[in-house]
Amino acid sequence: MNVLWIALLALLVFLEKLAPFGRWIARAAGFSCVAAGAGMFFAVLTQRSLAMSL
């Protein structure tokens, strides 16, 4: 894993635990992860459907 990603993840956990609005940070991070996963999923589906139509 890249050191930059590890540092960003550590910063996210730090903010979740110590910030007074940590619950909202956790929810935003969770929503972002779900949205990124859905985007990747649909990107793969789109590429497969394009490849099959050729």
Side-chain angles (χ1 to χ4, degrees):
M1 188 177 232
N2 190 347
V3 177
L4 178 63
W5 285 112
I6 295 171
L8 290 174
L9 185 59
L11 179 64
L12 177 67
V13 172
F14 178 77
L15 289 174
E16 285 179 7
K17 298 295 181 186
L18 295 179
F21 46 88
R23 176 174 236 113
W24 291 104
I25 293 173
R27 288 180 181 173
F31 179 77
S32 298
C33 288
V34 169
M40 286 185 226
F41 177 74
F42 288 118
V44 169
L45 286 180
T46 304
Q47 288 177 354
R48 285 187 182 179
S49 66
L50 288 175
M52 290 181 167
S53 66
L54 296 176

